[in-house]
């Protein structure tokens, strides 16, 4: 049992902290009972029959007997629909103003008393009962929304609602944020309520820290993304369909979205997977671009304990010739776990340590930051927050009293990050972190979490929040609390260091959080199921628009075997955030702690990660420009390939590489499902032709990595400069690739270089698009 489990255990009741934990939980329950009375009798409502229509820009308003439906097609092709007068704004998901309507999209009468809006990419058909069909230009149904139903308390209060959808029988579901059981979401119910699962989680745990009402659906009819823009607690129930045999009827796939309150509004983006993610990020904002040093190997542990231990670990990497870019300090470096402090006894000169590591070893320090502030007069952060604005910075209950909860420092209060004034104040506090020599931050415990013996790690649902001036309670604010904290930190770092790109990643968030940074798996359990969940999380989050993420390599809560550690390490080396991390009592995660064979093989994969650093720089820039994640499902370029849709144990790293990690004990060979085209084993040079399934070697020393024929991959050459690794195209075929050079960690405009490859006279010809086609970087041709 680790410390996080301990504070959640009933055994704590006998301690002083345990008694405070029980008391704070009792206060939460009492506050909710007083401020949120039972819903009582409810009235059900459906739209009723269509009674009128009013055309407008990009669509119009359809009036039913008991509701109204607004439809708007945006200039970029996204479709917005909403009931009961809901508008696109205000929204935490959208990055700015709502997109302009498409002037070519017109509301016009349809058959059987319905109406339709015809646009370039979609036709939206509304029946006279309120069903909404999204069809391709060829008339194929992508999604059919049945008429919604609301339940409204007779005595007043927020209406809960349900929206049921029918989809093609062959549809596969992905997304919904960070899901350990993905990336393909099977039949089941998925909660929309950001939750700390309590110290560890595996594939069977749901929900986790980062949920989103964002679903990506892939079928023969096409790919689309549906975003129900509502921050309230909810639940999504999915059921895959079944195609009829012979002359039998298909059973459609179904989706049911239930929300406890808030608006019923939805955005839908359609097209190829690349176009869908590009449209999604156009709505919700481009991903923050991590500094290039954040694409290198990173190391963390809860429990470094002292400057001496930090130096020992960094020296261990240096003496063994292992690359290391970043080292993270967890809560144990704080004074009494209080945020924005330093334990001077164990870290007497933290700025000096940070400077020494950066200058001598090229290693930067990153600091954990939790939102909970110790509620103690004399605590500088508490005192400063108490005088922010007219009511202070901290969340209050329905009676106006500051809400308190038990967290690591003891009794704590929580900043209301949905208040712009609080975000500005909190962002300014990061000056202390920068003065201590830190180069970035990672946000933890920001679902938010309060320890409780009653299993409800959150603020009272009745707690009041600013919500950008609109006002509301925690039922509406909970899911965006972590994202609002990320915004506060990101904007604060932008102000403090305007010439540098901020580095920030957050355990919790919501749709659009990519604007402020990335995320990581949280406390994934140590074991082979945890390894599998690590890949699921990264793939699912990338499809929701969060491209920069990664797991706790080795698992958080236990001691991995040498084989498990190495396989996890090999997977992590091909993910955007490559970080080892563990709990305070879970043992060390340094590669040399697992024996000489693991050290040798870990060194090889670390060196390969560093060799591929220019490729990761390119993928990071492309993610910002296009929304395409670094890590993509195998069906990314061929969503019509049903076999690829069902493949969950391999992934594409950009367009050029296919990575097939080992996810099971004792594996030395594994099957790999290949997309169409020629593929080269980068270790053996073996050639495979797709589509199809092949058996490849997977010795303990490496995982299979295959390169697409014709691809151009920027790598780090032996002299440290940029080199182009070109894989020969297949006869009669051409290829190419994109290279974006590292322009430093500032805000310089990225320059995109596009290369083409072809065979001519038995030789591989590489040309640069534009200009005279001359290539000024060394070229290494492989696969000839």
């Amino acid at each position: 049992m680790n410390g996080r489990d301990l504070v959640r255990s009933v055994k704590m009741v006998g301690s002083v902290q345990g008694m405070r934990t029980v008391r704070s939980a009792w206060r939460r329950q009492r506050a909710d009972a007083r401020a949120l009375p039972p819903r009582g009798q409810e009235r059900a409502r459906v739209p009723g029959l269509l009674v009128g229509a009013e055309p407008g820009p990009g669509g119009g308003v359809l009036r039913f007997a008991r509701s109204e439906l607004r439809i708007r097609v945006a200039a970029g092709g996204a479709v917005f629909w909403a009931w009961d007068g809901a508008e696109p704004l205000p929204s935490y998901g959208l990055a700015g103003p709502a997109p302009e309507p498409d002037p070519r999209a017109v509301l016009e009468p349809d058959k059987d008393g319905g109406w339709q809006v015809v646009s370039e990419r979609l036709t939206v058909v509304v029946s006279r009962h309120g069903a909404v069909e999204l069809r391709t230009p060829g008339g194929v149904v992508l999604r059919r929304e049945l008429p919604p139903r609301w339940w409204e308390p007779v005595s007043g209060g927020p209406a809960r609602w349900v929206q049921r959808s029918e989809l093609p029988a062959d549809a596969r579901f992905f997304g919904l944020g960070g899901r350990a059981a993905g990336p393909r979401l099977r039949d089941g119910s998925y909660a929309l309520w950001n939750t700390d699962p309590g110290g560890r989680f595996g594939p069977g745990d749901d929900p986790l820290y980062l949920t989103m009402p964002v679903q990506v659906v892939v079928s023969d009819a096409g790919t689309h993304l549906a975003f129900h823009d509502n921050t309230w607690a909810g639940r999504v129930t999915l059921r895959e369909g079944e195609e009829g045999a012979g002359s039998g009827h298909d059973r459609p796939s179904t989706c049911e979205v239930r929300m406890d309150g808030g608006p019923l509004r939805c955005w839908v983006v359609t097209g190829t997977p690349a176009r869908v993610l590009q449209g999604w990020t156009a709505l919700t904002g481009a991903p923050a671009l991590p500094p290039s040093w954040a694409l290198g190997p990173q190391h963390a542990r809860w429990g470094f304990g002292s400057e001496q231990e930090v130096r020992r670990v960094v020296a261990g990497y240096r003496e063994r010739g292992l690359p290391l870019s970043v080292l993270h300090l967890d809560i144990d470096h704080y004074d009494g776990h209080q945020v924005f402090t330093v334990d001077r006894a164990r870290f007497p000169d933290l700025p000096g340590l940070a400077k020494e590591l950066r200058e001598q070893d090229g290693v930067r320090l990153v600091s954990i930051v939790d939102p909970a502030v110790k509620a103690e007069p004399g605590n500088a952060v508490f005192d400063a927050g108490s005088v922010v604005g007219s009511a202070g910075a901290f969340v209050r209950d329905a009676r106006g009293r500051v809400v308190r909860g038990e967290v690591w420092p003891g009794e704590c209060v929580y900043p209301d990050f949905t208040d712009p004034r609080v975000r500005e104040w909190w962002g300014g506090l990061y000056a202390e972190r920068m003065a201590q020599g830190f180069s970035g931050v990672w946000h933890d415990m920001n679902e938010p979490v309060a320890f409780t013996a009653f299993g409800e790690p959150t603020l009272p649902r009745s707690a009041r929040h600013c919500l950008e001036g609109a006002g509301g309670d925690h039922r509406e604010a909970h899911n965006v609390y972590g994202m609002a904290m990320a915004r506060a930190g990101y904007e604060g770092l932008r102000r403090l260091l305007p010439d540098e790109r901020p580095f920030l990643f957050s355990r919790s968030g919501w749709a659009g959080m990519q604007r402020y940074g990335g995320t990581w798996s949280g406390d994934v359990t140590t074991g082979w199921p945890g390894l599998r969940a690590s890949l699921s999380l990264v793939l699912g989050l990338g499809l929701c628009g969060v491209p920069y993420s990664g797991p706790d390599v080795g698992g958080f809560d236990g001691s991995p075997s040498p084989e498990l550690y190495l396989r996890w390490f090999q997977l992590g080396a091909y993910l955007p955030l490559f970080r080892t991390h563990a709990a305070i009592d879970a043992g060390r995660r340094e590669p040399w702690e697992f024996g000489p064979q693991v050290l040798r093989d870990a060194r090889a994969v670390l060196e390969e990660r560093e060799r591929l650093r220019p490729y990761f720089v390119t993928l990071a820039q492309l993610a910002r420009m296009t929304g395409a994640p670094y890590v993509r499902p195998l069906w990314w370029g061929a969503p019509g390939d049903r076999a690829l849709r069902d493949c969950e144990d391999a992934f594409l790293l950009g367009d050029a590489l296919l990575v097939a990690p080992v996810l099971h004990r004792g594996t030395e060979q594994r099957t790999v499902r290949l997309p169409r085209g020629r593929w080269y084993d980068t270790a053996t040079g073996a050639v495979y032709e797709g589509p199809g399934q092949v058996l490849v070697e997977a010795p303990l020393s490496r995982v299979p990595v295959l390169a697409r024929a014709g691809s151009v991959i920027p790598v780090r050459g032996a002299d440290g400069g940029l080199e182009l690794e070109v894989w020969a195209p297949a006869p009669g075929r051409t290829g190419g690739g994109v290279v974006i050079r590292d322009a430093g960690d500032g805000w310089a405009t990225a320059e995109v270089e596009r290369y083409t490859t072809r065979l001519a006279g038995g030789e591989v010809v590489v040309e640069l698009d534009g200009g005279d086609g001359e290539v000024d970087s060394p070229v290494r041709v492989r696969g000839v």
Side-chain angles (χ1 to χ4, degrees):
M1 176 178 290
N2 61 39
R4 298 194 182 206
D5 291 326
L6 184 61
V7 298
R8 289 168 171 81
S9 172
V10 178
K11 295 179 182 179
M12 280 190 56
V13 172
S15 68
V16 173
Q17 187 181 29
M19 293 303 295
R20 289 201 302 261
T21 297
V22 173
R23 186 169 63 248
S24 64
W26 175 79
R27 285 201 300 258
R28 281 194 293 276
Q29 290 189 349
R30 186 180 179 190
D32 284 346
R34 181 168 46 239
L36 301 176
R39 295 179 63 89
Q41 188 176 3
E42 295 179 317
R43 281 190 296 260
R45 173 168 61 92
V46 295
L49 289 176
L50 182 64
V51 296
E54 180 182 331
V61 176
L62 300 169
R63 293 188 172 84
F64 294 81
R66 290 177 290 278
S67 187
E68 69 177 33
L69 171 66
R70 181 181 304 276
I71 297 177
R72 182 182 303 165
V73 178
V79 173
F80 173 79
W81 54 264
W83 290 92
D84 286 354
E87 294 279 359
L89 296 176
S91 168
Y92 277 97
L94 270 59
E100 293 294 320
D102 183 351
R104 299 169 299 176
V106 179
L107 182 67
E108 58 189 28
D110 191 32
K111 60 184 179 181
D112 298 328
W115 289 74
Q116 68 176 5
V117 179
V118 180
S119 67
E120 180 182 3
R121 299 181 188 174
L122 270 182
T123 297
V124 186
V125 180
V126 183
S127 77
R128 61 195 182 97
H129 295 284
V132 180
E133 283 189 356
L134 304 175
R135 300 177 182 174
T136 68
V140 179
V141 177
L142 280 174
R143 186 182 190 96
R144 184 171 190 265
E145 308 285 356
L146 302 178
R149 181 180 293 269
W150 294 266
W151 288 270
E152 300 165 327
V154 173
S155 58
R160 57 189 181 93
W161 53 262
V162 60
Q163 174 75 71
R164 297 184 175 94
S165 311
E166 293 180 348
L167 302 103
D170 66 293
R172 296 291 182 262
F173 298 97
F174 302 86
L176 296 183
R179 303 288 168 171
R184 173 183 160 194
L185 302 177
R186 263 68 173 189
D187 295 359
S189 184
Y190 301 88
L192 298 172
W193 186 258
N194 293 346
T195 303
D196 176 4
R200 65 175 69 84
F201 71 86
D205 292 304
D206 186 88
L208 299 180
Y209 315 95
L210 204 167
T211 66
M212 297 185 195
V214 179
Q215 52 184 283
V216 175
V217 184
V218 186
S219 68
D220 288 352
T223 302
H224 73 271
L225 178 151
F227 168 45
H228 288 84
D229 192 355
N230 184 315
T231 66
W232 284 64
R235 187 167 292 276
V236 179
T237 302
L238 304 176
R239 184 183 181 190
E240 292 182 351
E242 184 176 343
E243 293 179 299
S247 60
H249 294 291
D250 289 351
R251 177 174 60 79
S253 301
T254 60
C255 168
E256 179 184 275
V257 179
R258 288 182 176 268
M259 304 297 287
D260 291 346
L264 202 176
R265 56 184 180 178
C266 184
W267 287 92
V268 176
V269 184
T270 66
T272 64
R275 177 172 281 184
V276 165
L277 265 294
Q278 187 170 26
W280 172 238
T281 52
L283 277 176
T284 60
L289 186 65
S292 57
W293 51 263
L295 298 172
Q298 306 184 35
H299 188 84
R301 189 171 80 238
W302 179 20
F304 277 129
S306 67
E307 285 189 11
Q308 290 75 20
E309 179 65 4
V310 168
R311 286 195 176 91
R312 185 195 71 81
V313 170
V314 174
Y317 275 86
R318 179 180 65 247
E319 293 164 2
R320 293 168 176 84
L322 304 177
L324 180 66
S325 293
V326 183
L327 190 136
H328 300 244
L329 296 188
D330 210 316
I331 55 174
D332 50 290
H333 86 278
Y334 282 135
D335 183 7
H337 295 155
Q338 297 183 62
V339 67
F340 301 119
T341 65
V342 175
D343 186 334
R344 300 294 180 184
R346 293 184 293 166
F347 292 87
D349 184 14
L350 192 51
L353 174 67
K355 182 179 180 182
E356 172 191 324
L357 297 181
R358 184 168 176 175
E359 292 179 352
Q360 295 183 11
D361 300 284
V363 174
R364 298 171 184 257
L365 292 183
V366 165
S367 171
I368 192 172
V369 174
D370 289 355
V373 175
K374 186 174 179 62
E376 182 177 74
N379 173 7
V381 178
F382 177 75
D383 291 344
S386 298
V387 296
V388 171
S390 59
F394 306 117
V395 176
R396 295 177 178 269
D397 64 17
R399 301 174 69 182
R401 301 176 302 182
V402 174
V403 174
R404 302 188 177 213
E406 194 71 19
V407 200
W408 297 114
E411 193 169 56
C412 293
V413 292
Y414 299 82
D416 180 8
F417 296 114
T418 69
D419 186 334
R421 295 170 301 180
V422 175
R423 287 199 298 269
E424 183 176 6
W425 163 71
W426 185 265
L429 298 178
Y430 288 74
E432 183 272 341
R433 295 287 87 185
M434 300 301 103
Q436 297 295 343
F438 290 107
S439 298
V441 295
W442 55 293
H443 288 172
D444 201 358
M445 306 287 285
N446 60 339
E447 288 70 34
V449 172
F451 300 150
T452 170
F454 297 119
E456 181 72 6
T458 187
L459 300 180
R461 294 178 186 245
S462 59
R464 302 299 299 173
H465 290 265
C466 172
L467 289 166
E468 315 308 319
D473 61 38
H474 195 65
R475 295 174 296 178
E476 184 176 0
H478 175 84
N479 282 333
V480 295
Y481 187 89
M483 185 172 81
M485 180 186 179
R487 178 180 178 181
Y490 181 83
E491 292 176 346
L493 293 173
R494 285 290 309 268
R495 293 192 300 270
L496 293 167
L497 300 172
D499 297 328
E500 298 182 20
R501 298 199 300 269
F503 178 54
L504 183 151
F505 61 101
S506 171
R507 192 169 80 172
S508 184
W510 201 66
M513 69 169 293
Q514 73 274 1
R515 301 190 294 264
Y516 313 117
T519 184
W520 92 106
S521 67
D523 302 341
V524 61
T525 190
T526 298
W528 293 94
L531 172 60
R532 183 64 177 261
S534 298
L535 176 57
S536 299
L537 285 159
V538 175
L539 281 166
L541 287 164
L543 292 173
C544 290
V546 185
Y548 184 84
S549 68
D552 285 346
V553 168
F556 179 76
D557 67 316
S559 298
S561 68
E563 180 191 7
L564 174 59
Y565 173 81
L566 182 58
R567 291 308 195 187
W568 217 317
F569 203 81
Q570 290 165 340
L571 169 63
Y574 293 97
L575 300 180
L577 173 58
F578 178 24
R579 183 183 86 143
T580 58
H581 184 47
I584 195 168
D585 61 348
R588 302 185 187 278
R589 289 290 187 269
E590 296 83 11
W592 57 88
E593 298 290 344
F594 294 86
Q597 179 179 346
V598 170
L599 175 60
R600 181 187 69 242
D601 296 337
R603 177 182 290 110
V605 76
L606 280 169
E607 290 172 350
E608 179 64 6
R609 170 70 178 224
E610 288 299 277
R611 193 181 76 89
L612 289 173
R613 181 83 74 92
Y615 187 47
F616 276 92
V617 169
T618 295
L619 295 178
Q621 292 279 4
L622 288 175
R624 180 164 182 80
M625 293 176 181
T626 70
Y630 311 39
V631 172
R632 307 165 188 177
L634 292 188
W635 49 260
W636 178 261
D641 188 327
R642 294 190 177 189
L644 292 180
R645 280 185 224 156
D646 294 341
C647 183
E648 303 176 275
D649 61 355
F651 60 91
L652 297 174
L653 181 60
D655 284 331
L657 297 177
L658 188 160
V659 182
V662 172
L663 305 176
H664 301 282
R665 180 187 293 109
T667 300
E668 294 193 353
Q669 287 183 322
R670 59 153 295 174
T671 57
V672 178
R673 176 69 62 177
L674 297 179
R676 182 176 299 277
R678 174 172 289 185
W679 296 86
Y680 298 95
D681 188 313
T682 59
T684 68
V687 182
Y688 304 101
E689 298 290 341
Q693 187 167 277
V694 297
L695 182 67
V696 298
E697 297 298 318
L700 186 60
S701 59
R702 61 179 175 84
V703 295
V705 179
L706 286 73
R708 190 190 301 271
S711 59
V712 178
I713 306 173
V715 299
R716 182 175 291 173
D719 62 354
L722 184 86
E723 180 178 285
L724 301 182
E725 183 171 270
V726 177
W727 289 89
R733 305 295 299 271
T734 60
V738 170
V739 176
I740 304 176
R741 299 174 187 260
D742 187 355
D745 293 329
W747 301 96
T749 302
E751 296 186 6
V752 180
E753 302 171 9
R754 291 182 171 85
Y755 294 87
T756 60
T757 61
R758 57 187 172 87
L759 284 176
E763 294 186 351
V764 176
V765 178
V766 184
E767 295 176 314
L768 175 65
D769 277 0
D772 57 9
E774 290 291 326
V775 178
D776 61 2
S777 297
V779 175
R780 180 189 178 202
V781 177
R782 302 186 65 184
V784 176

